[in-house]
Amino acid sequence: MIGLGLIGGSVLRAAKAAGRTVWGATASKEDADKARAEGFDITSVDEALGRDPEALVVLAVPLPALPDLLRKIPAGTRLTDVTSVKGPVHDAVHRYAKEVRFVGGHPMAGTSQSGWDAGSATLFQNAAWVVTPEEADDHLNDVMELALDLGAHVVPTTPEEHDEAVARISHLPHVMAAILAATGADGGPLAMALAAGSFGDGTRVAGSRPELVRAMCEGNRDALLMAVDDALGRLGAARGSLASTGGLAKTIEAGHEGRNTLVNQPQRTKITIDLTKPGALAALRNLGSRGGRVVGLNGSTATAETS
Amino acid sequence: MIGLGLIGGSVLRAAKAAGRTVWGATASKEDADKARAEGFDITSVDEALGRDPEALVVLAVPLPALPDLLRKIPAGTRLTDVTSVKGPVHDAVHRYAKEVRFVGGHPMAGTSQSGWDAGSATLFQNAAWVVTPEEADDHLNDVMELALDLGAHVVPTTPEEHDEAVARISHLPHVMAAILAATGADGGPLAMALAAGSFGDGTRVAGSRPELVRAMCEGNRDALLMAVDDALGRLGAARGSLASTGGLAKTIEAGHEGRNTLVNQPQRTKITIDLTKPGALAALRNLGSRGGRVVGLNGSTATAETS
């Protein structure tokens, strides 16, 4: 485990709790000391990377730290990551660490806290863990097994589809919460004294640390731009309708329908996917695109739920 | 009590629980039957309005029902309301019921449910109850006393300031939640499968009944337009910054600051306001503008908290 913040520290704890042999490294002396004090095997980055050529290496470092780190990774290393954006990570891996075996990953879990202290062994229970494989092979199976061991279900997709989806359901919500919080606070003390449920809910994630929100959103610039443009178009249309006819029917009804889509997730049925067959990669990606997920692995057969 | 939906039904229950003599009327036979079954004195609108010329009449009907109702109200009646917008209500009262004594009101409480069944005697505990008096007199005191009796604190302001504030902290959040929910759902099944905390919080109020959200937002058209324009400008600026420099610093930091303003409400100090003095009305409105509130009444002296 390289990087021992909220996510990396949680992976280390959860993997140990699942009975795996784990060790870690981090550039943060504070996080390293705390992890060591809790009995974890913490060493230098070079020593951690060199200890066992068969180990599964998990990167949990911010995007800007990746190039330097990737240059250090020995050829043949079995690699995954837990960063919130996938296109730029795949690009960096291809550019700086060509000889590694890589499957991208992104567990959809977190809190507004950060650092080792914020982590927990149960953070990934029932969470979606995205994987972005470039082929269906034993390394992919190992990465999926890690996610399943940690209590998550696995959502396979491409880096591009992942980045577009999280732009809409994770990064755009942060941008919208920031806009709403600033617009509300501009209403002055009376507005703040009257603010209740809807404003509180709508602005909650604006309480997260600004530098983390920025890193996450700015790291997904292209996909976020498309999502922001979509929201801008809808907000402009709402404005036009309110100004011209006084009505908001289309806006409010489309929003209600969207919320219903989230709340009433479709019924899922179990299927199996043979990961040794040609077309397994396409089958996995198709599963993810349709909102499905892998919930178990038995040798090279994946048990999946699809809608 | 005229109108026995969520708010009207809650006022009736809470006022009875506070030891007041209450009776009610509603156009909804269903709500009337249910209220009667719980032992409340429910009659026709005409009988309810005619029973006691000294009674405090509380209107809890939708905006479109006001003109017809206001025409029936006897001259000299002591009137208040609990509608979510104040400018249009004041205008309607001045137009259709000139000879009444009126103080506008708006308790900042509610749920996503509606109708008699959704109400409760404790709905207003610790809630802000806005009043929009046009003079400081014994009728204002009676309306404030009702709000205090029901467990609320009183925020005095003008109809215009109220409508601008709620546009920002109540109506805009509904519009933004609708935009976010629709934009997210457009991401398809993968996006919905990955949606977690930030999207769930940001879209929660989009689950409310569309016709109620529309009535609330469309009823405050002018003030909501200003708030939407403000949000559009900010979202456009975020878009421009992301496209040109890739940065979102200003957007995310302004949002974080706005959220902090909400969470870290200022320390309040107790003051008293003599309601018999000239300038009492201005003092009350000034209190509300600064985020303060009336928390008690002793004869014609108001105990208030200000920041």
Side-chain angles (χ1 to χ4, degrees), chain A residues 46-62:
Chain A
D46 289 327
E47 210 279 313
L49 290 173
R51 192 182 290 183
D52 177 357
E54 292 302 308
L56 177 61
V57 174
V58 184
L59 304 183
V61 302

Side-chain angles (χ1 to χ4, degrees), chain B residues 63 84-94 102 132 134 158-163 219-220:
Chain B
L63 212 49
S84 74
V85 63
K86 295 273 65 72
V89 172
H90 276 261
D91 290 348
V93 169
H94 290 151
F102 179 65
T132 49
E134 293 173 342
T158 62
E160 294 72 27
E161 280 194 54
H162 166 273
D163 289 355
N220 198 16

Side-chain angles (χ1 to χ4, degrees), chain A residues 108 128-130 153 155-158 161-162 164-166 168-211 213-214 217-218 220-221 224-225 227-232 234-236 238-262 265 268 288-293 307, chain B residues 108 128-130 153 155-158 161-162 164-166 168-211 213-214 217-218 220-221 224-225 227-232 234-236 238-262 265 268 288-293 307:
Chain A
M108 305 296 297
W129 189 303
V130 176
H153 51 265
V155 178
T157 186
T158 62
E161 281 195 53
H162 166 272
E164 283 172 28
V166 296
R168 283 171 192 267
I169 55 81
S170 173
H171 305 157
L172 182 64
H174 277 90
V175 172
M176 296 290 269
I179 303 287
L180 181 60
T183 309
D186 257 12
L190 173 65
M192 290 298 96
L194 301 185
S198 62
F199 188 74
D201 286 348
T203 62
R204 191 190 59 87
V205 297
S208 311
R209 276 176 53 195
E211 61 275 24
V213 175
R214 282 184 57 193
C217 293
E218 293 169 359
N220 198 16
R221 179 178 177 176
L224 181 54
L225 261 177
V228 168
D229 279 341
D230 194 348
L232 259 176
R234 289 174 187 275
L235 190 57
R239 198 271 174 217
S241 173
L242 191 62
S244 61
T245 69
L248 281 173
K250 261 181 107 166
T251 299
I252 300 301
E253 275 152 26
H256 190 64
E257 220 170 276
R259 174 71 187 178
N260 284 347
T261 307
L262 175 73
Q265 297 266 348
R268 297 173 195 281
S289 285
R290 296 201 317 264
R293 56 210 198 174
S307 52
Chain B
M108 304 297 297
W129 190 303
V130 175
H153 52 265
V155 178
T157 185
T158 62
E161 280 194 54
H162 166 273
E164 283 172 28
V166 296
R168 283 171 192 267
I169 55 83
S170 174
H171 305 157
L172 182 64
H174 278 89
V175 173
M176 296 289 270
I179 303 287
L180 181 60
T183 308
D186 257 10
L190 174 65
M192 290 298 96
L194 300 185
S198 62
F199 188 74
D201 286 349
T203 61
R204 191 190 60 86
V205 298
S208 310
R209 277 176 53 195
E211 60 275 26
V213 174
R214 283 183 56 192
C217 292
E218 294 169 358
N220 198 16
R221 178 179 179 176
L224 180 55
L225 260 178
V228 168
D229 279 341
D230 194 347
L232 259 178
R234 288 175 188 274
L235 190 57
R239 198 269 173 218
S241 172
L242 190 61
S244 59
T245 69
L248 281 172
K250 261 181 109 166
T251 299
I252 301 301
E253 276 153 27
H256 190 65
E257 219 171 276
R259 174 70 187 182
N260 283 347
T261 307
L262 175 72
Q265 296 266 347
R268 298 172 193 281
S289 285
R290 295 200 319 263
R293 57 211 200 176
S307 52

Side-chain angles (χ1 to χ4, degrees), chain A residues 49-119:
Chain A
L49 290 173
R51 192 182 290 183
D52 177 357
E54 292 302 308
L56 177 61
V57 174
V58 184
L59 304 183
V61 302
L63 212 48
L66 268 187
D68 283 351
L69 180 57
L70 287 169
R71 283 196 195 94
K72 293 184 180 180
I73 295 186
T77 296
R78 299 160 59 241
L79 193 67
T80 188
D81 79 310
V82 291
T83 318
S84 75
V85 65
K86 296 272 66 68
V89 172
H90 276 261
D91 291 347
V93 169
H94 289 152
R95 184 160 172 191
Y96 299 109
K98 285 179 189 138
E99 303 301 313
V100 302
R101 300 180 67 190
F102 179 65
V103 171
H106 179 207
M108 305 296 297
T111 72
S112 58
Q113 308 297 308
S114 54
W116 170 268
D117 282 342

